[in-house]
Amino acid sequence: MSKKRLVGPSAWVFGAAGAIIGVVAALLVSQGNPGNMGLCIACFLRDTTGFFGGAKANMGAVAYIRPEIIGLVMGATATALATKEFRPRGGSGMAYRFVLGFIFMMSALIFLGCTVRAWLRLGGGDLNALWGVLGIIAGVAVGSVFLKRGFNLGRAGSIAKPLGWIAPAIFIVLLALAAVAAFGSTPEGFTVTAAKAVNDLGKPLPGGLRAPFVLSLVAGLSLGVVAQRSRFCSIGGIRDAILVKRFDLLFGVLGLLLGAFVANLVFGQFNLGFAGQPVAHTDALGNFAAMAVAGLAAVMLGGCPFRQVIMSGEGDADAFVAVVGMIVGALAAHWFGIASSAKGLSTLGWPALGVMAVVLVAIALIKRDRAA
Amino acid sequence: MELDVRGLSCPIPLMRTKKALEKNPGTITVLADSGTAKANVVNLLKDTGYDVAVDDTAEGYRINATWG
């Protein structure tokens, strides 16, 4: 067993992929995206949801189809087709995956960012994200225990080809809508936060903060290729380190953190501290608990929301069901006022986290594969 | 020894392969059907010290490893 090693050459691939994502994210912030939100799967899916009837669902401030997310899916689809990895598949605990996606999104909107943005916030100097990252580690550790005890949503199998194309097709339609909204006029019945829009207090609305359309799309496409090829995951590294003592994937988030940190310094947007951080609140316990719930949900899904988006592009209907759960979760989080604000958790924040934690544990106990 | 990890979510293919390797098999074949599972299993086998060859079949990837 002399050849045995704990860190293989793929650590470099993950590290480089993470660094590229971190640098591109910082670039997008420098070009107009909200602070430390160069890339946030939860925020971007939420903003995209806001485009549809956002005015009615308290999402008027965040209504904008983020081209980055479209690019991610299309980049992943193109790469998967080119490498013959596009395989329509599904059928593994789909109803559970919807619920897990829903819970992931709700808790991400209580933290204010997904498991990717937690690292990006830290790389921008937002120390509140430290509690979030600790929460991710705690949630992933709990999920690892469930996995060790046989948690398994079941096997996916081949599905009819058109079903694998649902997600890519939907994102092509979204691209058309986004392009019309960006270069034409706002389509009737939809909500679009005007670029550089401000509220009554003169503060910019997050949905109005955006990098140029084409840049966002190209950045998304590039990262879709990078993520599909590298299989970067924002929670898998911690999970594999705990569960199978493999550390390669951990270099992904370390690269992400380092890339974002260096690029933020270069762009002059690194701002160390707790108070006054962009799209963030300072409730330490709330940040920790929200990301613990999100981290657990992500482990139970088999990968972070970024992975779910990329796999949707590869024809994975299970991953797309999780993404749909996230979209519905975003709608619910805003409609019922569960999402946090810069002031902190909403009154429903803690009760929601408690209920979601109970549901996660229940699912983990129900879906046990005793043969494992 | 043959192991079928097709259709399983991350990191279950990796966990099952690792468990199978505890018995130090001379040869092991793992069936995987996603690019991610294939890459993870291949990396684990190589890092453990196996020589690995992958057949791309209609049902997925057939990963053949020999201790070497």
Side-chain angles (χ1 to χ4, degrees):
Chain A
M1 301 288 266
S2 59
K3 283 196 225 165
K4 194 161 181 159
R5 54 185 178 219
L6 292 173
V7 177
S10 55
W12 292 103
V13 177
F14 289 126
I20 292 170
I21 297 165
V23 169
V24 170
L27 172 75
L28 287 168
V29 171
S30 78
Q31 296 302 308
N33 267 22
N36 295 337
M37 206 192 281
L39 185 72
C40 173
I41 305 301
C43 319
F44 289 3
L45 284 174
R46 187 266 325 267
D47 294 358
T48 305
T49 309
F51 177 84
F52 300 90
K56 290 189 198 106
N58 309 320
M59 298 173 91
V62 292
Y64 174 53
I65 299 181
R66 295 274 173 191
E68 291 90 343
I69 206 109
I70 298 170
L72 288 179
V73 173
M74 297 179 94
T77 302
T79 316
L81 285 171
T83 55
K84 296 195 178 129
E85 285 189 3
F86 187 89
R87 284 172 193 257
R89 55 187 188 266
S92 161
M94 292 175 106
Y96 291 106
R97 287 180 193 272
F98 177 89
V99 175
L100 294 173
F102 182 95
I103 290 179
F104 181 91
M105 178 60 91
M106 285 266 218
S107 44
L109 293 177
I110 292 173
F111 168 69
L112 294 175
C114 66
T115 46
V116 174
R117 187 172 183 246
W119 297 96
L120 291 175
R121 279 174 57 176
L122 198 55
D126 177 352
L127 294 174
N128 301 298
L130 209 52
W131 303 114
V133 166
L134 288 173
I136 294 175
I137 295 171
V140 170
V142 171
S144 300
V145 172
F146 289 136
L147 276 166
K148 205 162 224 166
R149 297 184 54 184
F151 171 73
N152 186 351
L153 285 174
R155 280 185 201 261
S158 292
I159 53 172
K161 265 213 171 118
L163 296 176
W165 276 98
I166 292 176
I170 286 176
F171 279 89
I172 290 170
V173 173
L174 280 177
L175 177 61
L177 283 171
V180 168
F183 300 114
S185 56
T186 304
E188 211 161 315
F190 298 106
T191 314
V192 180
T193 313
K196 303 193 175 79
V198 293
N199 67 11
D200 325 338
L201 304 167
K203 280 211 166 177
L205 299 177
L209 292 169
R210 52 184 89 151
F213 185 89
V214 174
L215 177 70
S216 298
L217 186 63
V218 171
L221 280 167
S222 318
L223 295 186
V225 176
V226 167
Q228 201 283 336
R229 283 288 72 207
S230 69
R231 314 176 204 287
F232 171 88
C233 179
S234 64
I235 58 111
I238 299 165
R239 176 199 65 205
D240 288 357
I242 296 174
L243 205 55
V244 283
K245 306 278 178 294
R246 305 256 314 155
F247 302 93
D248 297 21
L249 192 46
L250 202 51
F251 284 76
V253 282
L254 295 177
L256 179 68
L257 183 60
L258 195 65
F261 169 67
V262 172
N264 280 322
L265 278 180
V266 170
F267 291 127
Q269 55 199 24
F270 183 81
N271 171 26
L272 192 70
F274 286 97
Q277 292 289 346
V279 200
H281 60 73
T282 55
D283 184 333
L285 202 58
N287 282 325
F288 175 86
M291 274 293 101
V293 172
L296 175 55
V299 169
M300 291 170 69
L301 278 171
C304 75
F306 192 12
R307 281 292 300 157
Q308 302 302 323
V309 167
I310 297 296
M311 291 193 293
S312 299
E314 295 175 348
D316 189 330
D318 291 337
F320 185 57
V321 165
V323 170
V324 173
M326 289 184 221
I327 289 168
V328 178
L331 190 66
H334 279 261
W335 199 309
F336 300 118
I338 292 168
S340 296
S341 68
K343 291 189 207 91
L345 268 57
S346 77
T347 45
L348 289 172
W350 278 112
L353 284 174
V355 171
M356 291 191 293
V358 170
V359 172
L360 289 181
V361 172
I363 294 177
L365 295 178
I366 292 168
K367 295 300 287 180
R368 261 180 76 187
D369 182 355
R370 275 155 227 279
Chain B
M1 183 179 211
E2 192 168 294
L3 190 65
D4 184 0
V5 299
R6 285 177 298 178
L8 295 170
S9 296
C10 277
I12 301 171
L14 204 51
M15 291 167 67
R16 297 224 172 142
T17 309
K18 196 172 183 233
K19 199 168 181 192
L21 292 183
E22 281 170 10
K23 294 178 191 134
N24 294 317
T27 61
I28 179 168
T29 299
V30 184
L31 301 173
D33 66 350
S34 75
T36 306
K38 177 194 70 171
N40 286 340
V41 169
V42 167
N43 286 336
L44 171 65
L45 289 166
K46 282 187 178 165
D47 293 346
T48 312
Y50 283 85
D51 289 326
V52 183
V54 182
D55 280 338
D56 199 344
T57 69
E59 303 89 63
Y61 307 97
R62 202 179 171 83
I63 305 160
N64 297 302
T66 318
W67 181 252

